Amino acid sequence: MNDMTPLLEIKDVSKRFEYVEALKSVNLTIGRREVVALVGDNGAGKSTLVKIIAGLCQPTSGGLVVRGEPVRIGDVRDANALGIVSVFQGNELCENLNVAANLFLGRELRTGCGIRDENAMVVRARAVLDTLSSSIQVGRPVASLSVGQRRIIAIAKTLLSEPDLVVLDEPTDSLSVMQTAEVLEYTRRLRAEGRSVIMVCHDLPDVFAVADRIAVLRQGRIIAVHETCETSYEQILAEMAGIVDEDADGRGDESDGVPAGGAVGYRIRVGTSRRLIERRGEQSGLPV
Amino acid sequence: MARRTNGSQASLRRANQASLLESIHRFGAMTQVELAEITGLSTTTVSTQVHQLVQEGKLETRNTVRNGRRATLVALARKQGLGVGLSITRRDLIVVVADYAKDVIARRRLPLPAKHKADTTLERAVRLVNEMLENAGADAGEVVGVGVAVGAPVDYRAQTVAVPGILPGWNGVDIRGPLATAFHVPVVVDNDANAAAVCEGRVGAVAGRQNFVYIGTNDGVGAGIMVNGDILHGVTGLAGEIGHIQVDPLGSICSCGNRGCLNTIVDETRLVSLLSVTHGNMTLEDLVRLANDGDPGCRRVIADTAVRIGTVAGDLCISVDPEMVVVGGNLAMSGDTFIEPFSETLQRLLFPNALTPIRVCAAAHPDYGAAPGAAIMAIEVVEKRSLLQG
């Protein structure tokens, strides 16, 4: 296979929920071995986009191309078969089962005669959690774990299937610094292993710490894609808020003219965009 | 020494004890039941071995409650206190907690954004240290000192970054203040190559040696010079900054403001740009990993860089006459790909008939040595002060 073929191409993807157009012909290419962050205001379409990639919903028009071949991702199993796994905010874990059982839920290891191989699962689960340098015990029920530990379990699940593309929806949201460190380290390690990552993230310092490229979504459109080393917090925040300097970025799409939150702050200078974002009631990664 | 002890009771016991100690090292304090689960040993074995290790002074136990039941919490024995070491570079924060025996009891790496700012990074570092202490079953009051290794030249008198521009966002920042306020203990700030040299000299590849030079090859080059068991700082603390020795009078301008420094030739951007046509976008880690996988282009880049660094290291060795040269940092993680051409260049430049030939070896902790080194520095400073005070 030609190594230069992009891993995933999102081509002209639109999504309409009745009267709301969540995504408007979005184009984005994810290469091999890269971490792409999706940032944007509330309702910008980030979650819809990753749900389409994960197979949780279908685009109204447009499609996805994986490794150069057009595909239809009907559900999560289709996505998994293509080497795409996702971790969502909800942490879909079963409270009554222990950590090992949760990790292997739906893909239990079996012995030669088809019986569940508990020992093999515990050993493998321990090995996977070990690579995340996590101190969670595999025999503990998920009900007794903290939010951060549950997030680690959800992320550890992705490691079991050796994926090519990992989709992380708000991976560091509501985590402690130590757990954030683990998740960001893990993201870097995925990339080092030759995998690609799409992360939706609000915390700009975390985005800048691990992402190779940052795609800014606003009102269902990708208005800019930046190499992380060539951009700044101020520029990203300005674009999220809809204060785009047309001269600085030719891809800037300002045809709507009004930022997502209405007319408030449209003329606000870049330096004050922090206040603008806060006013919209969403916690942003602020330029600190 | 090479006696085979496979299968004997004694070796089994040793292996079990090693496995217990390693688990507590890695995961922090935990109960005996949890230890049994993580190591795969029976609870009886765990109980016996823990008892023995407590008697040997390696572990300590406390009563605790898990799931409403009484349990025994097992932690590493901490004699007299803990040292905290931070290593701050352009892209990473590494935090290490070490005990008085200079054993690392907890370690975490937090990736940082490029151009991170001092205030936020230090605040996150304080929170990270507190969480790590809690996870290890320790108390913030047990910390006796904090060491900070900074990936930039440090003014040892003022304890700040000495040359502006090398670590953007840290120019003239009081690094000591926020940490001293948070932990109420002495704080030592030093250059990362010096800290890594301390780590290698106390617990690493050249443990116990008094005179050696450590060469750190990360994003840029730095050296730590150990003379009679102490780091040579010079008047300002800038001794050993070999990355800022001029190697090309007509070269590019360096982040320090001079022209043609060694760092303009060995920095990450420059090295990966040499491969951009054939290999696309890469980082220094990618470069080293591909070289280890046998990629000829990457190996060539590393070997050429080793020769450039070796030339400057040769000058340094003639000046300070060390016993050994220890090579650490990212590039050194490519093993012989780096060490061989480096060593060959170095030997070529040194006195052919020297009384004692200088040996070159790889660092024991090439990727994170600065953080434990900083922790050890902090502990040593505190020890020295208590000795002086009586």
Side-chain angles (χ1 to χ4, degrees):
Chain A
M1 194 191 301
N2 183 359
D3 201 31
M4 299 311 273
T5 325
L7 184 60
L8 170 72
E9 292 168 80
I10 300 165
K11 289 196 164 166
D12 267 332
V13 164
S14 299
K15 177 71 184 175
R16 178 177 280 281
F17 295 104
E18 301 203 348
Y19 300 109
V20 182
E21 210 173 1
L23 292 175
K24 301 164 191 167
S25 68
V26 165
N27 284 294
L28 184 66
T29 304
I30 314 292
R32 283 158 206 272
R33 194 191 291 282
E34 75 168 345
V35 179
V36 178
L38 291 179
V39 298
D41 220 337
N42 275 348
K46 309 179 298 277
S47 295
T48 312
L49 186 55
V50 293
K51 275 180 189 154
I52 288 173
I53 298 167
L56 291 176
C57 69
Q58 299 301 314
T60 314
S61 65
L64 304 178
V65 178
V66 175
R67 298 182 198 87
E69 287 176 19
V71 293
R72 186 183 170 279
I73 303 180
D75 56 26
V76 178
R77 277 176 202 273
D78 287 356
N80 288 352
L82 289 164
I84 302 173
V85 297
S86 326
V87 179
F88 283 97
Q89 276 167 293
N91 295 338
E92 302 84 353
L93 299 174
C94 294
E95 298 262 330
N96 55 335
L97 297 177
N98 70 17
V99 172
N102 261 293
L103 284 176
F104 288 93
L105 197 61
R107 49 187 164 184
E108 284 82 1
L109 300 180
R110 295 185 186 281
T111 57
C113 44
I115 303 166
R116 275 162 53 103
D117 191 346
E118 298 284 351
N119 283 341
M121 288 195 281
V122 166
V123 169
R124 180 95 174 85
R126 199 175 281 149
V128 165
L129 285 173
D130 222 47
T131 61
L132 280 173
S133 64
S134 169
S135 57
I136 304 166
Q137 279 94 51
V138 292
R140 279 177 73 174
V142 162
S144 69
L145 299 181
S146 71
V147 180
Q149 288 173 318
R150 289 171 196 221
R151 186 73 46 84
I152 300 286
I153 303 295
I155 286 172
K157 266 178 109 163
T158 64
L159 277 170
L160 291 170
S161 55
E162 303 276 320
D164 288 331
L165 176 67
V166 180
V167 180
L168 301 174
D169 192 8
E170 297 287 1
T172 59
D173 189 35
S174 69
L175 293 194
S176 71
V177 185
M178 198 163 84
Q179 288 155 343
T180 303
E182 277 176 9
V183 171
L184 295 183
E185 262 281 275
Y186 163 74
T187 312
R188 271 199 192 168
R189 195 157 345 120
L190 282 177
R191 185 188 176 285
E193 285 168 3
R195 309 179 206 280
S196 297
V197 178
I198 300 179
M199 61 187 277
V200 172
C201 193
H202 270 117
D203 200 13
L204 284 191
D206 291 346
V207 167
F208 275 74
V210 294
D212 295 305
R213 288 191 296 147
I214 302 175
V216 185
L217 272 159
R218 198 171 66 81
Q219 294 186 330
R221 285 196 169 91
I222 290 201
I223 60 166
V225 182
H226 298 285
E227 296 282 336
T228 308
C229 53
E230 292 167 2
T231 186
S232 62
Y233 292 147
E234 288 79 8
Q235 185 177 16
I236 298 288
L237 281 170
E239 283 170 355
M240 283 163 67
I243 314 159
V244 184
D245 183 356
E246 291 276 352
D247 299 333
D249 195 320
R251 282 168 296 188
D253 182 352
E254 273 304 273
S255 52
D256 302 357
V258 185
V264 178
Y266 179 51
R267 292 270 171 212
I268 280 182
R269 288 159 55 82
V270 172
T272 53
S273 59
R274 168 181 174 152
R275 200 179 54 204
L276 171 70
I277 308 265
E278 276 179 342
R279 199 181 299 169
R280 292 191 195 165
E282 178 163 44
Q283 190 198 357
S284 301
L286 299 171
V288 278
Chain B
M1 198 56 204
R3 195 162 55 93
R4 274 174 68 93
T5 52
N6 285 358
S8 77
Q9 284 293 319
S11 70
L12 184 64
R13 199 159 49 233
R14 262 203 308 280
N16 286 345
Q17 290 188 350
S19 145
L20 285 175
L21 286 172
E22 196 199 330
S23 303
I24 302 177
H25 254 282
R26 191 182 298 160
F27 301 125
M30 61 181 106
T31 64
Q32 295 200 9
V33 177
E34 289 164 347
L35 258 178
E37 189 188 291
I38 244 174
T39 54
L41 300 171
S42 75
T43 42
T44 332
T45 314
V46 169
S47 173
T48 323
Q49 299 303 336
V50 164
H51 185 69
Q52 194 169 348
L53 286 165
V54 167
Q55 300 232 305
E56 288 172 21
K58 289 181 178 163
L59 293 180
E60 59 190 25
T61 53
R62 277 196 301 280
N63 289 331
T64 182
V65 176
R66 279 288 153 91
N67 303 328
R69 293 183 181 183
R70 277 195 304 154
T72 313
L73 190 72
V74 186
L76 294 175
R78 294 184 299 278
K79 296 180 208 82
Q80 303 169 65
L82 299 169
V84 170
L86 310 179
S87 155
I88 298 159
T89 58
R90 275 196 242 183
R91 297 306 307 271
D92 278 306
L93 164 72
I94 302 177
V95 178
V96 152
V97 180
D99 61 9
Y100 250 59
K102 300 186 174 77
D103 280 334
V104 171
I105 63 171
R107 187 178 85 223
R108 280 289 185 282
R109 181 195 295 263
L110 175 70
L112 293 176
K115 300 176 194 157
H116 54 95
K117 299 281 191 295
D119 49 355
T120 17
T121 302
L122 287 175
E123 190 215 313
R124 285 182 113 183
V126 169
R127 276 165 43 205
L128 187 53
V129 170
N130 282 325
E131 282 172 26
M132 285 167 64
L133 289 171
E134 193 182 324
N135 192 44
D139 184 73
E142 290 176 57
V143 174
V144 294
V146 178
V148 187
V150 187
V154 168
D155 182 341
Y156 198 63
R157 300 163 302 180
Q159 300 263 293
T160 55
V161 173
V163 183
I166 292 177
L167 197 61
W170 288 74
N171 297 335
V173 170
D174 175 21
I175 300 172
R176 218 163 16 169
L179 295 168
T181 316
F183 297 105
H184 305 289
V185 291
V187 178
V188 197
V189 184
D190 207 334
N191 172 255
D192 58 349
N194 288 348
V198 169
C199 174
E200 294 300 327
R202 305 293 192 261
V203 295
V206 286
R209 304 222 180 227
Q210 304 279 310
N211 291 285
F212 66 89
V213 166
Y214 172 90
I215 310 273
T217 58
N218 287 311
D219 185 11
V221 184
I225 305 167
M226 188 73 84
V227 181
N228 299 333
D230 277 324
I231 288 287
L232 177 75
H233 282 108
V235 174
T236 52
L238 297 183
E241 287 296 339
I242 59 168
H244 298 283
I245 287 179
Q246 193 184 54
V247 291
D248 181 4
L250 301 175
S252 323
I253 297 293
C254 178
S255 55
C256 69
N258 282 340
R259 184 187 281 279
C261 296
L262 178 61
N263 274 356
T264 61
I265 287 166
V266 299
D267 95 318
E268 176 171 8
T269 325
R270 170 75 180 251
L271 294 183
V272 298
S273 75
L274 295 171
L275 293 155
S276 59
V277 175
T278 46
H279 292 66
N281 275 346
M282 292 213 301
T283 62
L284 198 60
E285 284 87 26
D286 295 340
L287 173 71
V288 172
R289 193 177 34 75
L290 285 173
N292 287 339
D293 291 347
D295 182 282
C298 295
R299 290 172 76 100
R300 178 62 192 265
V301 168
I302 291 179
D304 289 350
T305 312
V307 171
R308 300 303 291 261
I309 299 174
T311 316
V312 175
D315 296 351
L316 179 67
C317 287
I318 288 183
S319 316
V320 300
D321 188 23
E323 186 185 355
M324 293 191 74
V325 174
V326 191
V327 192
N330 267 329
L331 291 177
M333 289 171 78
S334 59
D336 283 346
T337 313
F338 183 90
I339 305 267
E340 269 178 18
F342 174 85
S343 179
E344 200 253 334
T345 313
L346 189 70
Q347 303 300 349
R348 195 153 27 86
L349 293 170
L350 298 175
F351 299 110
N353 301 315
L355 299 173
T356 347
I358 297 176
R359 284 200 296 125
V360 176
C361 74
H365 310 290
D367 52 344
Y368 64 88
I376 294 171
M377 275 177 151
I379 292 175
E380 287 182 353
V381 163
V382 173
E383 267 179 340
K384 213 177 272 178
R385 278 189 199 175
S386 66
L387 278 178
L388 286 175
Q389 284 164 2

